[in-house]
Amino acid sequence: MQIIKEKAALTEVISKLKSKNSSIGFVPTMGALHEGHLSLVRQAATICDVVVVSIFINPTQFDNTTDLDNYPRTLDSDTQKLAELNLNLIIFAPTATELYNNKIESEHFQFDGLEYEMEGKYRNGHFDGVGTVVKKLFEIVEPDKAFFGEKDYQQLQIIKKLVAQHKIPVEVIGCPIYRENNGLARSSRNERLSPKTRLEASFIHETLLKVKDKFGTESANQISQWVEKEFKAHPYFKLEYFEIADSETLKPATNTIASRTFRAFIAVYSENVRLIDNIALNY
Ligand code: PAF
């Protein structure tokens, strides 16, 4: 396993691999690796000759400096976890100056309205930051396939749009949400929850499963009201948003057309930690 910190060094390695027709898989991360990330890396390694894992805490996608400051920085243990996988991996861990060429700012994107829904309403500039860094990383890594978790489903749709709009020659593969034993979606932020709250957080996925049961017999509006009531009564979690939306356009479901597929999305706060999750409803 190689660890590369400079763009030029990575470009050289990638062009050697390409000259040997090796297929390149890519798993972009912000580090603090957990089983969810490792499952993406394993999946990538089953279908690609070499997997590049980037570890880069992207400053431009944080709308909140406290969140950026509190983000765990664990390069040594991340490296150790990846080494233990015993796969053909390259870690790309640039500094912000190296990746952004001294100009640490976002490009402005329009993703056909995907960027204004849900996370876009609550995290100002977030998707411009994600789009900027992922486009830069795609240009350097030149992957054949890139793997993203469905926990950040809106991000996944936006990356697919970015790739289509900019004709980037990469296949974007969405991978199922990796959950803890109690159903909580794996996230680097879970580490910041107290053990008690982390256990209680099974409530989020349990609520989404009940939403799935209700979908089809109750309207999106009725279900949303029910979810709001459930969270109001819960002592641990504060609901930021709940939404049932079209799985492709991410527009809120007003009337559920049988030919479309829908997902439910949720964001909640507990102990100053923001958790998101989602579930497919009719597919
Ligand atoms: O999902 C993430 O961890 C980040 O948004 C990503 C895709 C690595 C870009 O910084």
Side-chain angles (χ1 to χ4, degrees):
M1 190 175 78
Q2 296 181 69
I3 304 175
I4 297 179
K5 299 205 167 181
E6 271 124 37
K7 287 185 284 188
L10 183 64
T11 304
E12 203 181 312
V13 172
I14 297 286
S15 66
K16 277 196 189 127
L17 287 167
K18 293 216 173 247
S19 69
K20 287 191 264 169
N21 280 331
S22 299
S23 59
I24 296 166
F26 180 40
V27 180
T29 81
M30 297 206 298
L33 301 183
H34 50 68
E35 263 310 313
H37 296 112
L38 301 183
S39 72
L40 298 180
V41 176
R42 284 194 199 92
Q43 187 173 340
T46 58
I47 45 179
C48 300
D49 297 322
V50 185
V51 181
V52 178
V53 180
S54 63
I55 298 181
F56 178 68
I57 301 173
N58 175 34
T60 64
Q61 72 187 74
F62 287 82
D63 60 335
N64 173 330
T65 46
T66 317
D67 198 19
L68 174 60
D69 292 344
N70 287 341
Y71 208 87
R73 286 156 172 83
T74 53
L75 185 57
D76 289 345
S77 67
D78 292 341
T79 306
Q80 174 80 22
K81 285 177 189 166
L82 291 170
E84 281 165 12
L85 294 179
N86 230 343
L87 297 167
N88 197 4
L89 304 182
I90 298 170
I91 299 178
F92 180 48
T95 61
T97 318
E98 172 71 11
L99 195 64
Y100 277 89
N101 285 335
N102 289 319
K103 199 170 163 225
I104 304 179
E105 57 188 49
S106 295
E107 218 180 294
H108 181 60
F109 294 95
Q110 283 181 334
F111 295 119
D112 291 347
L114 292 174
E115 72 277 28
Y116 300 126
E117 305 299 338
M118 300 178 289
E119 293 295 290
K121 286 185 193 146
Y122 292 90
R123 301 184 72 188
N124 199 11
H126 172 67
F127 288 121
D128 278 340
V130 170
T132 303
V133 79
V134 172
K135 189 161 160 269
K136 279 184 192 299
L137 289 167
F138 279 166
E139 279 160 10
I140 303 164
V141 178
E142 294 184 66
D144 298 288
K145 298 179 197 298
F147 300 77
F148 293 83
E150 285 184 345
K151 183 179 78 68
D152 297 297
Y153 187 87
Q154 186 172 7
Q155 166 173 283
L156 170 65
Q157 291 305 104
I158 280 179
I159 304 292
K160 285 183 179 166
K161 185 67 76 180
L162 172 86
V163 162
Q165 286 176 336
H166 294 267
K167 300 189 173 46
I168 304 172
V170 57
E171 183 187 352
V172 175
I173 299 178
C175 306
I177 299 174
Y178 196 94
R179 296 187 180 279
E180 301 192 0
N181 286 341
N182 69 351
L184 174 64
R186 277 300 265 170
S187 158
S188 306
R189 291 186 170 89
N190 295 0
E191 309 297 326
R192 286 163 46 201
L193 295 172
S194 65
K196 173 97 178 101
T197 304
R198 196 158 166 174
L199 265 183
E200 290 285 337
S202 57
F203 180 69
I204 302 167
H205 185 231
E206 282 160 10
T207 306
L208 289 180
L209 289 172
K210 288 183 190 156
V211 164
K212 189 175 171 97
D213 277 348
K214 287 173 180 287
F215 189 76
T217 55
E218 292 179 35
S219 72
N221 204 15
Q222 281 168 324
I223 299 174
S224 298
Q225 282 174 12
W226 175 79
V227 171
E228 278 163 29
K229 223 168 81 218
E230 290 293 291
F231 274 88
K232 263 201 186 109
H234 201 286
Y236 286 80
F237 302 104
K238 188 172 172 300
L239 184 66
E240 185 173 58
Y241 68 76
F242 170 79
E243 193 139 312
I244 294 181
D246 185 293
S247 67
E248 212 179 297
T249 64
L250 303 183
K251 295 261 172 285
T254 40
N255 51 359
T256 48
I257 307 154
S259 60
R260 304 292 304 175
T261 55
F262 294 92
R263 279 183 105 87
F265 297 85
I266 197 164
V268 306
Y269 270 99
S270 189
E271 299 172 341
N272 272 331
V273 180
R274 188 169 186 274
L275 303 168
I276 60 169
D277 201 349
N278 67 84
I279 194 167
L281 295 176
N282 60 342
Y283 67 106

CSV table of all heavy atoms in Angstrom, one decimal, residues 28-30 37 54 56 58 61 71 126 130 133-134 137 148 152 155 159, ligand 1:
chain,number,residue,atom,x,y,z
A,28,PRO,N,-13.5,8.2,-2.3
A,28,PRO,CA,-13.2,9.5,-1.6
A,28,PRO,C,-13.7,9.5,-0.2
A,28,PRO,O,-14.8,9.2,0.0
A,28,PRO,CB,-13.9,10.6,-2.5
A,28,PRO,CG,-14.9,9.9,-3.3
A,28,PRO,CD,-14.7,8.4,-3.2
A,29,THR,N,-12.9,10.0,0.8
A,29,THR,CA,-13.3,10.0,2.2
A,29,THR,C,-12.7,11.3,2.8
A,29,THR,O,-11.8,11.9,2.3
A,29,THR,CB,-12.8,8.8,3.0
A,29,THR,OG1,-11.5,9.0,3.4
A,29,THR,CG2,-12.9,7.5,2.2
A,30,MET,N,-13.3,11.6,4.0
A,30,MET,CA,-12.7,12.6,4.8
A,30,MET,C,-12.0,12.0,6.0
A,30,MET,O,-11.8,12.7,7.0
A,30,MET,CB,-13.7,13.7,5.2
A,30,MET,CG,-14.3,14.4,4.0
A,30,MET,SD,-15.0,16.0,4.4
A,30,MET,CE,-16.3,15.6,5.5
A,37,HIS,N,-16.9,2.9,5.5
A,37,HIS,CA,-15.9,3.2,4.4
A,37,HIS,C,-15.2,2.0,4.0
A,37,HIS,O,-15.0,1.8,2.8
A,37,HIS,CB,-14.8,4.1,5.0
A,37,HIS,CG,-15.3,5.5,5.4
A,37,HIS,ND1,-15.3,5.9,6.7
A,37,HIS,CD2,-15.7,6.6,4.7
A,37,HIS,CE1,-15.7,7.1,6.8
A,37,HIS,NE2,-16.0,7.6,5.6
A,54,SER,N,-9.0,8.4,-1.1
A,54,SER,CA,-8.5,9.8,-0.7
A,54,SER,C,-8.9,10.0,0.7
A,54,SER,O,-10.1,9.7,1.2
A,54,SER,CB,-9.0,10.8,-1.6
A,54,SER,OG,-10.4,11.0,-1.6
A,56,PHE,N,-9.1,13.3,2.9
A,56,PHE,CA,-9.0,14.8,2.9
A,56,PHE,C,-10.2,15.5,3.5
A,56,PHE,O,-11.3,15.3,3.0
A,56,PHE,CB,-8.8,15.2,1.4
A,56,PHE,CG,-8.7,16.7,1.2
A,56,PHE,CD1,-7.6,17.4,1.7
A,56,PHE,CD2,-9.7,17.5,0.7
A,56,PHE,CE1,-7.5,18.8,1.6
A,56,PHE,CE2,-9.6,18.8,0.5
A,56,PHE,CZ,-8.5,19.5,1.0
A,58,ASN,N,-12.3,18.2,3.6
A,58,ASN,CA,-12.5,19.3,2.6
A,58,ASN,C,-13.0,20.6,3.3
A,58,ASN,O,-14.2,20.6,3.6
A,58,ASN,CB,-13.4,18.8,1.5
A,58,ASN,CG,-13.7,19.9,0.5
A,58,ASN,OD1,-12.9,20.8,0.3
A,58,ASN,ND2,-14.9,19.9,0.0
A,61,GLN,N,-16.6,22.4,2.2
A,61,GLN,CA,-17.9,21.9,2.3
A,61,GLN,C,-18.5,22.0,3.7
A,61,GLN,O,-19.6,21.6,3.9
A,61,GLN,CB,-18.0,20.4,1.8
A,61,GLN,CG,-17.3,19.4,2.7
A,61,GLN,CD,-17.3,18.0,2.1
A,61,GLN,OE1,-16.5,17.8,1.2
A,61,GLN,NE2,-18.1,17.1,2.5
A,71,TYR,N,-14.0,18.0,13.4
A,71,TYR,CA,-14.0,16.8,12.6
A,71,TYR,C,-12.8,16.0,13.0
A,71,TYR,O,-11.7,16.5,13.0
A,71,TYR,CB,-14.0,17.2,11.1
A,71,TYR,CG,-14.6,16.1,10.3
A,71,TYR,CD1,-16.0,16.0,10.1
A,71,TYR,CD2,-13.8,15.0,9.8
A,71,TYR,CE1,-16.6,15.0,9.4
A,71,TYR,CE2,-14.4,14.0,9.1
A,71,TYR,CZ,-15.8,14.0,8.9
A,71,TYR,OH,-16.4,12.9,8.3
A,126,HIS,N,-22.7,23.9,1.0
A,126,HIS,CA,-22.2,22.5,1.2
A,126,HIS,C,-21.9,21.8,-0.2
A,126,HIS,O,-20.8,21.3,-0.4
A,126,HIS,CB,-23.1,21.7,2.0
A,126,HIS,CG,-22.7,20.3,2.2
A,126,HIS,ND1,-21.6,19.9,2.8
A,126,HIS,CD2,-23.4,19.2,1.7
A,126,HIS,CE1,-21.5,18.6,2.8
A,126,HIS,NE2,-22.6,18.1,2.1
A,130,VAL,N,-18.6,20.2,-2.0
A,130,VAL,CA,-18.5,18.8,-2.4
A,130,VAL,C,-18.2,18.7,-3.9
A,130,VAL,O,-17.3,18.0,-4.3
A,130,VAL,CB,-19.8,18.0,-2.0
A,130,VAL,CG1,-19.7,16.6,-2.6
A,130,VAL,CG2,-20.0,18.0,-0.5
A,133,VAL,N,-14.5,19.7,-4.7
A,133,VAL,CA,-13.4,18.8,-4.3
A,133,VAL,C,-13.5,17.5,-5.1
A,133,VAL,O,-12.5,16.9,-5.5
A,133,VAL,CB,-13.4,18.5,-2.8
A,133,VAL,CG1,-14.5,17.6,-2.3
A,133,VAL,CG2,-12.0,18.0,-2.3
A,134,VAL,N,-14.7,17.0,-5.3
A,134,VAL,CA,-14.9,15.7,-6.0
A,134,VAL,C,-14.4,15.9,-7.5
A,134,VAL,O,-13.7,15.0,-8.1
A,134,VAL,CB,-16.3,15.2,-5.9
A,134,VAL,CG1,-16.5,14.0,-6.8
A,134,VAL,CG2,-16.6,14.8,-4.5
A,137,LEU,N,-10.7,15.9,-7.4
A,137,LEU,CA,-10.2,14.5,-7.2
A,137,LEU,C,-10.3,13.7,-8.4
A,137,LEU,O,-9.4,12.9,-8.7
A,137,LEU,CB,-10.9,13.9,-5.9
A,137,LEU,CG,-10.5,14.6,-4.6
A,137,LEU,CD1,-11.4,14.1,-3.5
A,137,LEU,CD2,-9.0,14.2,-4.2
A,148,PHE,N,-19.6,5.6,-3.7
A,148,PHE,CA,-20.2,6.5,-2.7
A,148,PHE,C,-21.3,5.8,-1.9
A,148,PHE,O,-22.1,5.1,-2.5
A,148,PHE,CB,-20.8,7.8,-3.4
A,148,PHE,CG,-19.8,8.7,-4.0
A,148,PHE,CD1,-19.3,8.4,-5.3
A,148,PHE,CD2,-19.2,9.8,-3.4
A,148,PHE,CE1,-18.4,9.2,-5.9
A,148,PHE,CE2,-18.3,10.6,-4.0
A,148,PHE,CZ,-17.8,10.3,-5.3
A,152,ASP,N,-25.3,9.3,2.3
A,152,ASP,CA,-25.4,10.6,1.8
A,152,ASP,C,-26.0,10.6,0.4
A,152,ASP,O,-25.4,10.8,-0.7
A,152,ASP,CB,-24.0,11.2,1.7
A,152,ASP,CG,-23.4,11.3,3.1
A,152,ASP,OD1,-23.9,12.1,3.9
A,152,ASP,OD2,-22.4,10.6,3.3
A,155,GLN,N,-26.0,13.6,-1.8
A,155,GLN,CA,-24.6,13.8,-2.4
A,155,GLN,C,-24.4,12.9,-3.6
A,155,GLN,O,-23.9,13.3,-4.6
A,155,GLN,CB,-23.6,13.6,-1.3
A,155,GLN,CG,-22.2,13.4,-1.8
A,155,GLN,CD,-21.2,13.3,-0.6
A,155,GLN,OE1,-20.8,14.3,0.0
A,155,GLN,NE2,-20.7,12.1,-0.4
A,159,ILE,N,-23.4,14.0,-7.3
A,159,ILE,CA,-22.1,13.6,-7.9
A,159,ILE,C,-22.5,13.0,-9.3
A,159,ILE,O,-21.8,13.2,-10.3
A,159,ILE,CB,-21.4,12.5,-7.1
A,159,ILE,CG1,-21.0,13.0,-5.7
A,159,ILE,CG2,-20.1,12.0,-7.8
A,159,ILE,CD1,-20.1,14.1,-5.5
B,1,PAF,O1,-18.9,12.0,1.8
B,1,PAF,C1,-17.8,12.5,2.1
B,1,PAF,O2,-17.0,12.0,3.0
B,1,PAF,C2,-17.3,13.8,1.4
B,1,PAF,O3,-18.4,14.6,1.2
B,1,PAF,C3,-16.5,13.5,0.2
B,1,PAF,C4,-17.3,12.8,-0.9
B,1,PAF,C5,-15.3,12.7,0.5
B,1,PAF,C6,-16.0,14.9,-0.4
B,1,PAF,O4,-15.2,15.6,0.5
